[in-house]
Amino acid sequence: MASYLEHYAANLPRTIYLYVTDHCNSNCVYCVFRMSNAKLKRSEMSLSFIQDVWRQSFILKGGIRLDIPAPKIVVQGGEFTIHPEAVEIVRFFHDEGLTAILLTNSVDLDLVRPVAEWVDDITISYDGPAHDVSRGVKGNKTSIHAMLAELTGSGKHLTLQMTLGPWNLNLEAIEHTLDLAARTGCQLRFNVASSQGLLGQGSYVIKEAQLIDVAHFLEGANSSCLSIENVRYVTKVAENSLPHHCFSTSFYSTIMANGDVLLCQGLDYTEAITGNLHQSGFDAIWIMAQSKRAQYSHCRACTLSCQLMGDFNLIEEVKELHG
């Protein structure tokens, strides 16, 4: 048992991206579930299933908790807050002493508010002045501003997540969003729209010169709302010089609403599957996929902005661990 626990502890993911539901109340132009490469049927996890998965995977038989750091759980969808048991799910994670991060579109504030009460870390998707166009919901930008007004000063960690694409790749949109983040005390994180893997967001043409202009602007912004790692990520995408040693598979795991456990969101869906939680426990799937994770540690560089991308110090650290 000791060797098993040591092996498990050494390979436990830092963060689990939990797609609790595939259902959504917005109509984003780059939605993964609208793209043919997703190969997904609309699914949804129940509270009881999530409880069973957690207790079987992260607590020993007999109710003794593993003495290892628990991963952060990013609850998302689709739109997580429309799930009929959304409040109960985040309350379960809260009661278990876990760090749950809510990723939301903030379309329906009556659904977001009761969920937000049980989490201390909230990420809101926001695409700038043209948000309602890219998200396909009239009035969504207004509801986001209202949600930020309510949350500002609440003590919660707030992040605005902006997906860069043809709909907002201009300095006016960047300045607008950076100003909003500064006024509301948010961190600002950027993704660059990609056609790769699970999160493939369509065959959009991103003009290199525009992205370079945005990267240079961010480099000189000197704002506390920006992280050095995320700005470096945008710059590296603009320069087409992302590292070919990602190692995100050693730190992050993705669980889909149908129970599929994915190696990485940057791979083709069928290639990324390592198991299904309806058939095996998470710990067994995670450990059995160790060799597959090592196989993709030298994956070609992708443009997906997972939390590891841009953290080049961590990448060097992991290289040493893997030899």
Side-chain angles (χ1 to χ4, degrees):
M1 179 63 73
S3 61
Y4 168 82
L5 292 181
E6 290 171 4
H7 184 82
Y8 183 34
N11 291 279
L12 188 68
R14 291 186 177 188
T15 303
I16 294 177
Y17 297 96
L18 187 62
Y19 286 75
V20 179
T21 179
D22 296 337
H23 300 281
C24 194
N25 53 359
S26 62
N27 194 29
C28 303
V29 296
Y30 49 84
C31 176
V32 58
F33 297 107
R34 294 175 59 188
M35 309 309 296
S36 60
N37 66 344
K39 299 183 180 67
L40 299 173
K41 295 181 180 179
R42 297 298 175 101
S43 304
E44 196 165 75
M45 291 183 178
S46 67
L47 170 64
S48 60
F49 177 74
I50 291 172
Q51 290 172 327
D52 288 345
V53 167
W54 178 261
R55 288 168 176 156
Q56 292 173 11
S57 300
F58 300 103
I59 299 179
L60 288 172
K61 291 180 180 178
I64 302 174
R65 186 178 298 278
L66 292 174
D67 187 21
I68 51 179
K72 296 179 180 179
I73 311 294
V74 180
V75 289
Q76 60 189 80
E79 170 57 26
F80 171 72
T81 62
I82 69 174
H83 190 288
E85 297 177 303
V87 175
E88 289 79 6
I89 290 171
V90 290
R91 184 171 182 175
F92 166 71
F93 287 137
H94 176 273
D95 292 345
E96 288 288 311
L98 303 174
T99 299
I101 301 170
L102 170 64
L103 177 57
T104 178
N105 58 27
S106 289
V107 167
D108 189 336
L109 300 190
D110 289 335
L111 296 177
V112 178
R113 289 187 186 102
V115 175
E117 289 183 11
W118 292 98
V119 296
D120 294 322
D121 199 324
I122 301 172
T123 296
I124 299 175
S125 299
Y126 185 72
D127 290 343
H131 181 88
D132 289 2
V133 176
S134 65
R135 297 288 171 159
V137 178
K138 187 177 180 179
N140 189 195
K141 186 173 73 170
T142 299
S143 67
I144 289 173
H145 282 250
M147 188 79 260
L148 289 173
E150 292 182 20
L151 292 173
T152 299
S154 65
K156 297 182 184 295
H157 183 270
L158 305 177
T159 301
L160 287 178
Q161 181 167 284
M162 186 177 190
T163 299
L164 297 175
W167 46 86
N168 61 11
L169 201 57
N170 59 77
L171 295 185
E172 180 183 358
I174 304 301
E175 290 176 330
H176 161 90
T177 309
L178 187 58
D179 176 69
L180 176 63
R183 287 188 288 107
T184 55
C186 294
Q187 288 292 113
L188 178 56
R189 184 171 65 234
F190 296 97
N191 295 317
V192 178
S194 170
S195 60
Q196 294 179 236
L198 167 67
L199 298 184
Q201 296 161 336
S203 300
Y204 298 107
V205 177
I206 296 179
K207 295 182 179 179
E208 183 177 332
Q210 289 180 314
L211 188 58
I212 290 175
D213 286 345
V214 168
H216 288 168
F217 172 79
L218 294 175
E219 288 172 354
N222 192 29
S223 171
S224 60
C225 300
L226 301 171
S227 73
I228 295 175
E229 290 79 14
N230 189 240
V231 172
R232 291 176 72 186
Y233 152 77
V234 176
T235 301
K236 291 292 185 179
V237 174
E239 296 174 345
N240 194 27
S241 60
L242 286 168
H244 288 263
H245 299 281
C246 178
F247 295 109
S248 64
T249 58
S250 298
F251 291 91
Y252 308 119
S253 183
T254 297
I255 301 176
M256 303 305 295
N258 64 2
D260 285 341
V261 179
L262 305 186
L263 191 68
C264 175
Q265 299 182 33
L267 299 172
D268 178 76
Y269 190 86
T270 54
E271 183 182 6
I273 297 175
T274 56
N276 188 283
L277 293 175
H278 291 282
Q279 301 170 354
S280 302
F282 178 84
D283 51 351
I285 294 173
W286 180 258
I287 292 172
M288 290 300 292
Q290 184 179 24
S291 60
K292 192 172 184 178
R293 292 202 304 277
Q295 175 187 346
Y296 284 98
S297 65
H298 292 72
C299 192
R300 68 180 178 83
C302 71
T303 60
L304 295 180
S305 179
C306 69
Q307 293 182 21
L308 179 63
M309 187 57 72
D311 192 346
F312 303 112
N313 292 330
L314 180 57
I315 291 172
E316 292 302 319
E317 183 180 313
V318 177
K319 280 184 184 179
E320 293 182 8
L321 292 175
H322 285 257

PDB file of all heavy atoms in Angstrom, residues 168-198:
ATOM      1  N   ASN A 168     -12.239  40.369 -31.698  1.00  0.00           N
ATOM      2  CA  ASN A 168     -11.746  41.334 -30.703  1.00  0.00           C
ATOM      3  C   ASN A 168     -10.249  41.593 -30.784  1.00  0.00           C
ATOM      4  O   ASN A 168      -9.666  42.141 -29.853  1.00  0.00           O
ATOM      5  CB  ASN A 168     -12.108  40.861 -29.287  1.00  0.00           C
ATOM      6  CG  ASN A 168     -11.479  39.514 -28.940  1.00  0.00           C
ATOM      7  OD1 ASN A 168     -10.612  39.007 -29.651  1.00  0.00           O
ATOM      8  ND2 ASN A 168     -11.909  38.925 -27.832  1.00  0.00           N
ATOM      9  N   LEU A 169      -9.608  41.193 -31.871  1.00  0.00           N
ATOM     10  CA  LEU A 169      -8.151  41.302 -31.955  1.00  0.00           C
ATOM     11  C   LEU A 169      -7.746  42.713 -32.401  1.00  0.00           C
ATOM     12  O   LEU A 169      -7.246  42.925 -33.507  1.00  0.00           O
ATOM     13  CB  LEU A 169      -7.595  40.250 -32.918  1.00  0.00           C
ATOM     14  CG  LEU A 169      -6.110  39.896 -32.750  1.00  0.00           C
ATOM     15  CD1 LEU A 169      -5.839  39.412 -31.330  1.00  0.00           C
ATOM     16  CD2 LEU A 169      -5.690  38.839 -33.747  1.00  0.00           C
ATOM     17  N   ASN A 170      -8.000  43.660 -31.514  1.00  0.00           N
ATOM     18  CA  ASN A 170      -7.610  45.044 -31.768  1.00  0.00           C
ATOM     19  C   ASN A 170      -7.307  45.706 -30.428  1.00  0.00           C
ATOM     20  O   ASN A 170      -7.796  45.281 -29.377  1.00  0.00           O
ATOM     21  CB  ASN A 170      -8.707  45.796 -32.526  1.00  0.00           C
ATOM     22  CG  ASN A 170     -10.021  45.810 -31.773  1.00  0.00           C
ATOM     23  OD1 ASN A 170     -10.199  46.572 -30.819  1.00  0.00           O
ATOM     24  ND2 ASN A 170     -10.964  44.950 -32.171  1.00  0.00           N
ATOM     25  N   LEU A 171      -6.498  46.751 -30.477  1.00  0.00           N
ATOM     26  CA  LEU A 171      -6.045  47.381 -29.240  1.00  0.00           C
ATOM     27  C   LEU A 171      -7.183  48.035 -28.473  1.00  0.00           C
ATOM     28  O   LEU A 171      -7.157  48.095 -27.240  1.00  0.00           O
ATOM     29  CB  LEU A 171      -4.956  48.406 -29.547  1.00  0.00           C
ATOM     30  CG  LEU A 171      -3.646  47.831 -30.122  1.00  0.00           C
ATOM     31  CD1 LEU A 171      -2.617  48.941 -30.263  1.00  0.00           C
ATOM     32  CD2 LEU A 171      -3.106  46.703 -29.250  1.00  0.00           C
ATOM     33  N   GLU A 172      -8.208  48.525 -29.176  1.00  0.00           N
ATOM     34  CA  GLU A 172      -9.344  49.134 -28.493  1.00  0.00           C
ATOM     35  C   GLU A 172     -10.029  48.118 -27.577  1.00  0.00           C
ATOM     36  O   GLU A 172     -10.371  48.438 -26.425  1.00  0.00           O
ATOM     37  CB  GLU A 172     -10.337  49.676 -29.512  1.00  0.00           C
ATOM     38  CG  GLU A 172     -11.559  50.332 -28.881  1.00  0.00           C
ATOM     39  CD  GLU A 172     -12.576  50.804 -29.910  1.00  0.00           C
ATOM     40  OE1 GLU A 172     -12.317  50.661 -31.118  1.00  0.00           O
ATOM     41  OE2 GLU A 172     -13.637  51.312 -29.489  1.00  0.00           O
ATOM     42  N   ALA A 173     -10.234  46.904 -28.083  1.00  0.00           N
ATOM     43  CA  ALA A 173     -10.880  45.860 -27.282  1.00  0.00           C
ATOM     44  C   ALA A 173     -10.012  45.454 -26.101  1.00  0.00           C
ATOM     45  O   ALA A 173     -10.502  45.214 -24.992  1.00  0.00           O
ATOM     46  CB  ALA A 173     -11.192  44.650 -28.152  1.00  0.00           C
ATOM     47  N   ILE A 174      -8.693  45.373 -26.320  1.00  0.00           N
ATOM     48  CA  ILE A 174      -7.778  44.994 -25.249  1.00  0.00           C
ATOM     49  C   ILE A 174      -7.756  46.067 -24.166  1.00  0.00           C
ATOM     50  O   ILE A 174      -7.820  45.770 -22.966  1.00  0.00           O
ATOM     51  CB  ILE A 174      -6.358  44.770 -25.802  1.00  0.00           C
ATOM     52  CG1 ILE A 174      -6.373  43.716 -26.922  1.00  0.00           C
ATOM     53  CG2 ILE A 174      -5.417  44.352 -24.669  1.00  0.00           C
ATOM     54  CD1 ILE A 174      -6.902  42.368 -26.515  1.00  0.00           C
ATOM     55  N   GLU A 175      -7.665  47.326 -24.575  1.00  0.00           N
ATOM     56  CA  GLU A 175      -7.649  48.427 -23.608  1.00  0.00           C
ATOM     57  C   GLU A 175      -8.946  48.472 -22.806  1.00  0.00           C
ATOM     58  O   GLU A 175      -8.929  48.700 -21.593  1.00  0.00           O
ATOM     59  CB  GLU A 175      -7.426  49.754 -24.335  1.00  0.00           C
ATOM     60  CG  GLU A 175      -6.025  49.909 -24.893  1.00  0.00           C
ATOM     61  CD  GLU A 175      -5.868  51.200 -25.681  1.00  0.00           C
ATOM     62  OE1 GLU A 175      -6.875  51.669 -26.263  1.00  0.00           O
ATOM     63  OE2 GLU A 175      -4.751  51.747 -25.722  1.00  0.00           O
ATOM     64  N   HIS A 176     -10.073  48.262 -23.484  1.00  0.00           N
ATOM     65  CA  HIS A 176     -11.377  48.243 -22.812  1.00  0.00           C
ATOM     66  C   HIS A 176     -11.410  47.166 -21.726  1.00  0.00           C
ATOM     67  O   HIS A 176     -11.830  47.418 -20.587  1.00  0.00           O
ATOM     68  CB  HIS A 176     -12.487  47.990 -23.833  1.00  0.00           C
ATOM     69  CG  HIS A 176     -13.780  47.519 -23.237  1.00  0.00           C
ATOM     70  ND1 HIS A 176     -14.774  48.392 -22.828  1.00  0.00           N
ATOM     71  CD2 HIS A 176     -14.243  46.259 -22.968  1.00  0.00           C
ATOM     72  CE1 HIS A 176     -15.787  47.700 -22.338  1.00  0.00           C
ATOM     73  NE2 HIS A 176     -15.486  46.408 -22.412  1.00  0.00           N
ATOM     74  N   THR A 177     -10.972  45.961 -22.069  1.00  0.00           N
ATOM     75  CA  THR A 177     -11.045  44.840 -21.137  1.00  0.00           C
ATOM     76  C   THR A 177     -10.034  44.995 -20.003  1.00  0.00           C
ATOM     77  O   THR A 177     -10.322  44.657 -18.847  1.00  0.00           O
ATOM     78  CB  THR A 177     -10.823  43.515 -21.884  1.00  0.00           C
ATOM     79  OG1 THR A 177     -11.702  43.452 -23.008  1.00  0.00           O
ATOM     80  CG2 THR A 177     -11.098  42.324 -20.981  1.00  0.00           C
ATOM     81  N   LEU A 178      -8.859  45.520 -20.319  1.00  0.00           N
ATOM     82  CA  LEU A 178      -7.857  45.754 -19.282  1.00  0.00           C
ATOM     83  C   LEU A 178      -8.352  46.803 -18.288  1.00  0.00           C
ATOM     84  O   LEU A 178      -8.163  46.660 -17.070  1.00  0.00           O
ATOM     85  CB  LEU A 178      -6.549  46.206 -19.931  1.00  0.00           C
ATOM     86  CG  LEU A 178      -5.325  46.343 -19.015  1.00  0.00           C
ATOM     87  CD1 LEU A 178      -5.026  45.027 -18.317  1.00  0.00           C
ATOM     88  CD2 LEU A 178      -4.119  46.798 -19.827  1.00  0.00           C
ATOM     89  N   ASP A 179      -9.023  47.828 -18.800  1.00  0.00           N
ATOM     90  CA  ASP A 179      -9.585  48.863 -17.922  1.00  0.00           C
ATOM     91  C   ASP A 179     -10.680  48.285 -17.029  1.00  0.00           C
ATOM     92  O   ASP A 179     -10.743  48.592 -15.832  1.00  0.00           O
ATOM     93  CB  ASP A 179     -10.152  50.010 -18.765  1.00  0.00           C
ATOM     94  CG  ASP A 179     -10.833  51.073 -17.909  1.00  0.00           C
ATOM     95  OD1 ASP A 179     -10.126  51.777 -17.170  1.00  0.00           O
ATOM     96  OD2 ASP A 179     -12.076  51.184 -17.983  1.00  0.00           O
ATOM     97  N   LEU A 180     -11.530  47.427 -17.610  1.00  0.00           N
ATOM     98  CA  LEU A 180     -12.590  46.784 -16.823  1.00  0.00           C
ATOM     99  C   LEU A 180     -11.994  45.924 -15.716  1.00  0.00           C
ATOM    100  O   LEU A 180     -12.459  45.950 -14.570  1.00  0.00           O
ATOM    101  CB  LEU A 180     -13.481  45.934 -17.734  1.00  0.00           C
ATOM    102  CG  LEU A 180     -14.585  45.128 -17.046  1.00  0.00           C
ATOM    103  CD1 LEU A 180     -15.575  46.058 -16.356  1.00  0.00           C
ATOM    104  CD2 LEU A 180     -15.299  44.217 -18.052  1.00  0.00           C
ATOM    105  N   ALA A 181     -10.955  45.164 -16.041  1.00  0.00           N
ATOM    106  CA  ALA A 181     -10.299  44.317 -15.046  1.00  0.00           C
ATOM    107  C   ALA A 181      -9.711  45.164 -13.923  1.00  0.00           C
ATOM    108  O   ALA A 181      -9.841  44.831 -12.732  1.00  0.00           O
ATOM    109  CB  ALA A 181      -9.214  43.473 -15.709  1.00  0.00           C
ATOM    110  N   ALA A 182      -9.080  46.280 -14.279  1.00  0.00           N
ATOM    111  CA  ALA A 182      -8.461  47.139 -13.271  1.00  0.00           C
ATOM    112  C   ALA A 182      -9.505  47.762 -12.354  1.00  0.00           C
ATOM    113  O   ALA A 182      -9.305  47.847 -11.138  1.00  0.00           O
ATOM    114  CB  ALA A 182      -7.644  48.227 -13.970  1.00  0.00           C
ATOM    115  N   ARG A 183     -10.638  48.177 -12.926  1.00  0.00           N
ATOM    116  CA  ARG A 183     -11.673  48.834 -12.119  1.00  0.00           C
ATOM    117  C   ARG A 183     -12.392  47.877 -11.185  1.00  0.00           C
ATOM    118  O   ARG A 183     -12.936  48.290 -10.151  1.00  0.00           O
ATOM    119  CB  ARG A 183     -12.697  49.504 -13.049  1.00  0.00           C
ATOM    120  CG  ARG A 183     -12.174  50.767 -13.723  1.00  0.00           C
ATOM    121  CD  ARG A 183     -13.274  51.512 -14.476  1.00  0.00           C
ATOM    122  NE  ARG A 183     -13.680  50.826 -15.689  1.00  0.00           N
ATOM    123  CZ  ARG A 183     -14.817  50.175 -15.846  1.00  0.00           C
ATOM    124  NH1 ARG A 183     -15.687  50.097 -14.833  1.00  0.00           N
ATOM    125  NH2 ARG A 183     -15.121  49.600 -16.995  1.00  0.00           N
ATOM    126  N   THR A 184     -12.414  46.598 -11.533  1.00  0.00           N
ATOM    127  CA  THR A 184     -13.161  45.616 -10.743  1.00  0.00           C
ATOM    128  C   THR A 184     -12.261  44.674  -9.944  1.00  0.00           C
ATOM    129  O   THR A 184     -12.747  43.748  -9.298  1.00  0.00           O
ATOM    130  CB  THR A 184     -14.067  44.788 -11.668  1.00  0.00           C
ATOM    131  OG1 THR A 184     -13.286  44.195 -12.711  1.00  0.00           O
ATOM    132  CG2 THR A 184     -15.148  45.651 -12.292  1.00  0.00           C
ATOM    133  N   GLY A 185     -10.957  44.903 -10.005  1.00  0.00           N
ATOM    134  CA  GLY A 185     -10.033  44.095  -9.219  1.00  0.00           C
ATOM    135  C   GLY A 185      -9.858  42.681  -9.734  1.00  0.00           C
ATOM    136  O   GLY A 185      -9.593  41.757  -8.944  1.00  0.00           O
ATOM    137  N   CYS A 186      -9.994  42.503 -11.046  1.00  0.00           N
ATOM    138  CA  CYS A 186      -9.873  41.165 -11.654  1.00  0.00           C
ATOM    139  C   CYS A 186      -8.474  40.932 -12.203  1.00  0.00           C
ATOM    140  O   CYS A 186      -7.793  41.870 -12.624  1.00  0.00           O
ATOM    141  CB  CYS A 186     -10.861  40.998 -12.809  1.00  0.00           C
ATOM    142  SG  CYS A 186     -12.597  41.001 -12.362  1.00  0.00           S
ATOM    143  N   GLN A 187      -8.069  39.672 -12.238  1.00  0.00           N
ATOM    144  CA  GLN A 187      -6.965  39.266 -13.085  1.00  0.00           C
ATOM    145  C   GLN A 187      -7.508  39.148 -14.509  1.00  0.00           C
ATOM    146  O   GLN A 187      -8.697  38.881 -14.698  1.00  0.00           O
ATOM    147  CB  GLN A 187      -6.384  37.934 -12.641  1.00  0.00           C
ATOM    148  CG  GLN A 187      -5.595  37.993 -11.344  1.00  0.00           C
ATOM    149  CD  GLN A 187      -4.310  38.789 -11.495  1.00  0.00           C
ATOM    150  OE1 GLN A 187      -4.172  39.850 -10.900  1.00  0.00           O
ATOM    151  NE2 GLN A 187      -3.376  38.292 -12.286  1.00  0.00           N
ATOM    152  N   LEU A 188      -6.651  39.339 -15.490  1.00  0.00           N
ATOM    153  CA  LEU A 188      -7.065  39.206 -16.890  1.00  0.00           C
ATOM    154  C   LEU A 188      -6.201  38.147 -17.541  1.00  0.00           C
ATOM    155  O   LEU A 188      -4.972  38.242 -17.534  1.00  0.00           O
ATOM    156  CB  LEU A 188      -6.922  40.543 -17.624  1.00  0.00           C
ATOM    157  CG  LEU A 188      -7.280  40.564 -19.115  1.00  0.00           C
ATOM    158  CD1 LEU A 188      -8.693  40.069 -19.344  1.00  0.00           C
ATOM    159  CD2 LEU A 188      -7.099  41.968 -19.687  1.00  0.00           C
ATOM    160  N   ARG A 189      -6.851  37.123 -18.077  1.00  0.00           N
ATOM    161  CA  ARG A 189      -6.126  36.028 -18.731  1.00  0.00           C
ATOM    162  C   ARG A 189      -6.608  35.888 -20.169  1.00  0.00           C
ATOM    163  O   ARG A 189      -7.802  35.941 -20.446  1.00  0.00           O
ATOM    164  CB  ARG A 189      -6.332  34.715 -17.973  1.00  0.00           C
ATOM    165  CG  ARG A 189      -5.530  33.556 -18.557  1.00  0.00           C
ATOM    166  CD  ARG A 189      -5.576  32.319 -17.684  1.00  0.00           C
ATOM    167  NE  ARG A 189      -6.894  31.746 -17.584  1.00  0.00           N
ATOM    168  CZ  ARG A 189      -7.523  31.489 -16.447  1.00  0.00           C
ATOM    169  NH1 ARG A 189      -6.946  31.801 -15.295  1.00  0.00           N
ATOM    170  NH2 ARG A 189      -8.714  30.948 -16.430  1.00  0.00           N
ATOM    171  N   PHE A 190      -5.655  35.681 -21.073  1.00  0.00           N
ATOM    172  CA  PHE A 190      -5.977  35.562 -22.491  1.00  0.00           C
ATOM    173  C   PHE A 190      -5.804  34.137 -22.986  1.00  0.00           C
ATOM    174  O   PHE A 190      -4.876  33.426 -22.584  1.00  0.00           O
ATOM    175  CB  PHE A 190      -5.064  36.482 -23.325  1.00  0.00           C
ATOM    176  CG  PHE A 190      -5.248  37.943 -23.039  1.00  0.00           C
ATOM    177  CD1 PHE A 190      -4.394  38.593 -22.153  1.00  0.00           C
ATOM    178  CD2 PHE A 190      -6.262  38.658 -23.635  1.00  0.00           C
ATOM    179  CE1 PHE A 190      -4.558  39.945 -21.873  1.00  0.00           C
ATOM    180  CE2 PHE A 190      -6.436  40.014 -23.366  1.00  0.00           C
ATOM    181  CZ  PHE A 190      -5.584  40.642 -22.489  1.00  0.00           C
ATOM    182  N   ASN A 191      -6.711  33.727 -23.855  1.00  0.00           N
ATOM    183  CA  ASN A 191      -6.529  32.555 -24.704  1.00  0.00           C
ATOM    184  C   ASN A 191      -6.450  33.052 -26.133  1.00  0.00           C
ATOM    185  O   ASN A 191      -7.018  34.093 -26.458  1.00  0.00           O
ATOM    186  CB  ASN A 191      -7.710  31.581 -24.594  1.00  0.00           C
ATOM    187  CG  ASN A 191      -7.847  30.984 -23.219  1.00  0.00           C
ATOM    188  OD1 ASN A 191      -6.864  30.595 -22.612  1.00  0.00           O
ATOM    189  ND2 ASN A 191      -9.069  30.927 -22.720  1.00  0.00           N
ATOM    190  N   VAL A 192      -5.790  32.311 -27.001  1.00  0.00           N
ATOM    191  CA  VAL A 192      -5.816  32.614 -28.425  1.00  0.00           C
ATOM    192  C   VAL A 192      -6.629  31.531 -29.103  1.00  0.00           C
ATOM    193  O   VAL A 192      -6.354  30.341 -28.922  1.00  0.00           O
ATOM    194  CB  VAL A 192      -4.394  32.670 -29.018  1.00  0.00           C
ATOM    195  CG1 VAL A 192      -4.459  32.935 -30.528  1.00  0.00           C
ATOM    196  CG2 VAL A 192      -3.574  33.754 -28.334  1.00  0.00           C
ATOM    197  N   ALA A 193      -7.666  31.919 -29.844  1.00  0.00           N
ATOM    198  CA  ALA A 193      -8.540  30.948 -30.497  1.00  0.00           C
ATOM    199  C   ALA A 193      -7.716  29.978 -31.335  1.00  0.00           C
ATOM    200  O   ALA A 193      -6.799  30.374 -32.053  1.00  0.00           O
ATOM    201  CB  ALA A 193      -9.570  31.665 -31.373  1.00  0.00           C
ATOM    202  N   SER A 194      -8.035  28.698 -31.208  1.00  0.00           N
ATOM    203  CA  SER A 194      -7.266  27.653 -31.874  1.00  0.00           C
ATOM    204  C   SER A 194      -8.205  26.677 -32.545  1.00  0.00           C
ATOM    205  O   SER A 194      -9.363  26.520 -32.154  1.00  0.00           O
ATOM    206  CB  SER A 194      -6.396  26.922 -30.840  1.00  0.00           C
ATOM    207  OG  SER A 194      -5.818  25.764 -31.385  1.00  0.00           O
ATOM    208  N   SER A 195      -7.714  26.004 -33.559  1.00  0.00           N
ATOM    209  CA  SER A 195      -8.500  24.962 -34.217  1.00  0.00           C
ATOM    210  C   SER A 195      -8.038  23.590 -33.782  1.00  0.00           C
ATOM    211  O   SER A 195      -8.419  22.578 -34.356  1.00  0.00           O
ATOM    212  CB  SER A 195      -8.369  25.084 -35.747  1.00  0.00           C
ATOM    213  OG  SER A 195      -7.011  24.952 -36.135  1.00  0.00           O
ATOM    214  N   GLN A 196      -7.220  23.518 -32.722  1.00  0.00           N
ATOM    215  CA  GLN A 196      -6.619  22.262 -32.308  1.00  0.00           C
ATOM    216  C   GLN A 196      -7.429  21.540 -31.234  1.00  0.00           C
ATOM    217  O   GLN A 196      -8.003  22.166 -30.352  1.00  0.00           O
ATOM    218  CB  GLN A 196      -5.209  22.506 -31.763  1.00  0.00           C
ATOM    219  CG  GLN A 196      -4.230  22.999 -32.804  1.00  0.00           C
ATOM    220  CD  GLN A 196      -2.873  23.245 -32.193  1.00  0.00           C
ATOM    221  OE1 GLN A 196      -2.331  24.327 -32.287  1.00  0.00           O
ATOM    222  NE2 GLN A 196      -2.330  22.237 -31.562  1.00  0.00           N
ATOM    223  N   GLY A 197      -7.403  20.224 -31.307  1.00  0.00           N
ATOM    224  CA  GLY A 197      -7.841  19.366 -30.222  1.00  0.00           C
ATOM    225  C   GLY A 197      -9.279  19.537 -29.771  1.00  0.00           C
ATOM    226  O   GLY A 197     -10.150  20.010 -30.499  1.00  0.00           O
ATOM    227  N   LEU A 198      -9.553  19.114 -28.527  1.00  0.00           N
ATOM    228  CA  LEU A 198     -10.886  19.160 -27.946  1.00  0.00           C
ATOM    229  C   LEU A 198     -11.462  20.567 -28.004  1.00  0.00           C
ATOM    230  O   LEU A 198     -12.638  20.761 -28.282  1.00  0.00           O
ATOM    231  CB  LEU A 198     -10.824  18.690 -26.486  1.00  0.00           C
ATOM    232  CG  LEU A 198     -12.077  18.975 -25.643  1.00  0.00           C
ATOM    233  CD1 LEU A 198     -13.244  18.155 -26.152  1.00  0.00           C
ATOM    234  CD2 LEU A 198     -11.818  18.699 -24.184  1.00  0.00           C
TER     235      LEU A 198
END
